[in-house]
Amino acid sequence: MYTDTERCVRAVRSKDARFDGWFFTAVLTTRIYCRPSCPVVPPKAENMTFYPSAAACQQAGFRACKRCRPDTSPGSPQWDARADLVARAMRLIQDGVVDREGVAGLADRLGYSARQIERQLHAELGAGPLALARAQRAQTARVLIETTGLPMADVAFAAGFSSVRTFNETVREVFALTPGELRDRAARETRPPAAPGAITLRLPYRAPLNPSNLFGHLAATAVPGVEEWRDGAYRRTLGLRHGHGTVALAPGPGHIVCRLHLTDPRDLTLAISRCRRLLDLDADPVAVDEQLSADPILAPLVGAAPGRRVPRTVDGAEFAVRAVLGQQVSTAAARTHAARLVTAHGHPVDDPEGGGLTHLFPGPEQLAGLDPDQLALPRSRRTTLTTLVTALADGSLRLDTGTDRERARAQLAALPGFGPWTVDVIAMRALGDPDAFLPTDLGIRRAAAHLGLPATPAALTARAAAWRPWRAYAVQYLWTVDDHPINHLPT
């Protein structure tokens, strides 16, 4: 979009927040870059130029605006919606892969050469993987500076910088303030008191956002010991690269309140990325709802509660295991099966806030040696689960953010016991496919009967072609026809 100068100028002059994250405005006279909704008086059109990423602005010598803080914009929705190389690369960079594994590690994950990835990212985003990762490190550093009392040297290494000198130079270059000035500026702002040891921040999103199905679904399907709804927030444990953590997420006015407890602050970038993915915060609800509303059957559902998101997951392997446990059973039974697995194989943790979080969900490595005879499941389901766990543990099946969705679908469909519903629900929630559809789901079939939609899966799938590429969001609206706890915020 950033190449359409006239459209970008109109968005800046109208301060349209829907375009935050889609592009960035760089002002030639002040050498500052902003988000489209920046509250300052817009510059003259001839003094504006547009870039597709904050990293590209920084590479061109522009500094981040102190008013609108463009680095805190929601991510571009195209990285979630698209499945090509650039989108997969961006999801992995946001997950911190370049900081952890370098460009070579990113290339290995994607199955392309480092040169080809560099070339495609430059062509579309104006910056390569190292520059994009640097911009993300700068934002992580800013969060740590403003929300914690960590010494600056600890902040530097926790944010992924190789030296304090590089950290200081980057912060000054990107924000036109020293790290100390950033902390002093934050201290003067009115902020709610943080819990001891917690990192509290705001996760932005594009309005509207309907929290009912998002938090209602997560709370209704919460696995005891791993997740809970407590004091108006969804809380869960997180297995991270350098340790573990807990997070509390609650809807706020125009943002999601995120409170993190981490055993190692180096995991902050990864934790934020996973929380944003869990809540689908980079979606473009206006574009989604506009297309779905064109269908006269869906229009009343969208109009009654616009802005529904797709509740996703913090870990693709975890969700795949839970999807198998939930095959052909009630939500309560699925939670019971998962809780037993957690108690037997999950790593115990302490809840820093004294709640009910007791374990990490066991990863494929912990589940690889489980005895199928100890599972209170039908024999065929045991085979399905153990085969899945083996494929995840040996790396032949990957369900991370950079996974090729079509390849993963084919691999899942080839496993015993994996029918269309299981494959599509994993594609929707673990792989983030916005077009995944569940025509055989019981809730969807009930909604179809109530709304007069076709009854058979094949006919319903054909009817849903008009909803593409947003069929996963159509599923969220169709589920509202049933009065199920997943559609309501817990009291």
Side-chain angles (χ1 to χ4, degrees):
M1 176 181 175
Y2 74 100
T3 58
D4 188 343
T5 300
E6 184 178 344
R7 188 180 179 195
C8 289
V9 169
R10 288 201 305 270
V12 171
R13 287 177 173 168
S14 63
K15 303 185 187 301
D16 195 333
R18 292 179 300 166
F19 295 101
D20 288 354
W22 277 100
F23 69 90
F24 295 82
T25 307
V27 185
L28 299 174
T29 51
T30 61
R31 307 301 298 175
I32 287 172
Y33 71 94
C34 304
R35 62 169 80 193
S37 64
C38 184
V40 303
V41 176
K44 295 179 180 178
E46 59 266 27
N47 292 329
M48 288 188 269
T49 187
F50 305 101
Y51 290 91
S53 66
C57 293
Q58 293 167 19
Q59 278 201 317
F62 294 92
R63 304 186 309 274
C65 174
K66 297 174 185 176
R67 287 285 303 277
C68 70
R69 300 180 60 169
D71 303 85
T72 63
S73 299
S76 173
Q78 60 184 320
W79 309 137
D80 278 343
R82 286 166 42 182
D84 56 25
L85 173 61
V86 171
R88 291 168 59 205
M90 281 301 297
R91 292 197 291 270
L92 287 172
I93 292 170
Q94 290 168 351
D95 221 32
V97 167
V98 171
D99 287 333
R100 297 193 301 268
E101 304 172 23
V103 177
L106 176 67
D108 182 64
R109 293 279 197 105
L110 294 170
Y112 289 80
S113 70
R115 180 177 296 180
Q116 188 169 1
I117 293 169
E118 183 94 24
R119 183 168 59 249
Q120 292 208 29
L121 287 174
H122 262 291
E124 187 156 346
L125 291 164
L130 289 176
L132 291 162
R134 176 180 179 266
Q136 184 164 273
R137 282 197 298 275
Q139 176 55 23
T140 300
R142 182 170 194 161
V143 171
L144 289 169
I145 290 168
E146 295 180 339
T147 63
T148 74
L150 286 174
M152 292 302 177
D154 292 345
V155 170
F157 294 115
F161 289 94
S162 58
S163 70
V164 175
R165 179 179 178 180
T166 304
F167 159 73
N168 287 329
E169 290 175 349
T170 300
V171 170
R172 281 197 298 268
E173 180 182 333
V174 173
F175 303 115
L177 293 169
T178 67
E181 289 170 338
L182 271 178
R183 181 162 283 175
D184 291 342
R185 183 185 177 97
R188 292 193 295 269
E189 296 179 3
T190 303
R191 295 174 180 268
I199 299 173
T200 302
L201 59 149
R202 296 179 173 185
L203 302 181
Y205 58 77
R206 291 176 187 83
L209 180 142
N210 189 317
S212 300
N213 79 303
L214 189 56
F215 289 95
H217 198 121
L218 295 172
T221 60
V223 177
V226 175
E227 304 166 286
E228 67 173 2
W229 179 266
R230 179 168 172 260
D231 298 332
Y234 165 77
R235 302 180 67 241
R236 71 157 291 147
T237 57
L238 300 170
L240 302 166
R241 182 172 177 81
H242 298 101
H244 65 269
T246 64
V247 65
L249 298 162
H255 62 272
I256 299 295
V257 179
C258 174
R259 187 172 65 254
L260 285 160
H261 288 268
L262 302 175
T263 55
D264 192 319
R266 288 178 293 175
D267 286 323
L268 177 62
T269 299
L270 179 58
I272 293 174
S273 172
R274 291 190 174 182
C275 291
R276 292 194 65 82
R277 186 164 66 250
L278 172 70
L279 301 182
D280 193 18
L281 296 185
D282 292 328
D284 184 354
V286 173
V288 172
D289 290 352
E290 182 178 0
Q291 179 159 335
L292 297 183
S293 294
D295 189 309
I297 289 181
L298 290 185
L301 301 177
V302 176
R308 291 188 179 274
R309 301 301 209 272
V310 178
R312 291 180 177 163
T313 183
V314 297
D315 184 85
E318 173 191 318
F319 184 79
V321 169
R322 292 172 62 171
V324 170
L325 295 176
Q327 288 178 332
Q328 299 178 351
V329 298
S330 67
T331 300
R335 295 179 66 209
T336 299
H337 289 315
R340 289 172 181 165
L341 208 63
V342 165
T343 302
H345 301 279
H347 179 72
V349 298
D350 294 325
D351 189 335
E353 297 185 4
L357 304 182
T358 59
H359 289 79
L360 298 177
F361 195 92
E365 296 77 13
Q366 288 75 46
L367 295 175
L370 65 82
D371 181 359
D373 292 334
Q374 295 181 352
L375 299 173
L377 297 171
R379 186 174 298 277
S380 61
R381 195 82 43 77
R382 297 180 202 172
T383 301
T384 300
L385 181 61
T386 54
T387 306
L388 169 67
V389 167
T390 300
L392 291 168
D394 66 20
S396 59
L397 173 63
R398 302 189 73 156
L399 299 175
D400 60 30
T401 58
T403 297
D404 183 316
R405 291 170 182 163
E406 291 308 311
R407 181 172 184 268
R409 278 175 173 273
Q411 289 179 294
L412 288 168
L415 296 177
F418 273 76
W421 180 89
T422 309
V423 172
D424 280 311
V425 78
I426 292 174
M428 181 172 70
R429 297 193 57 191
L431 299 177
D433 185 351
D435 200 38
F437 191 52
L438 308 174
T440 62
D441 180 81
L442 179 60
I444 299 300
R445 289 164 56 194
R446 287 176 175 170
H450 179 81
L451 297 171
L453 290 166
T456 66
L460 182 56
T461 300
R463 175 66 174 76
W467 307 336
R468 305 191 75 169
W470 309 119
R471 292 184 301 176
Y473 294 87
V475 167
Q476 309 308 311
Y477 285 107
L478 291 172
W479 273 339
T480 65
V481 174
D482 256 354
D483 187 23
H484 193 281
I486 63 169
N487 294 314
H488 308 288
L489 273 175
T491 55

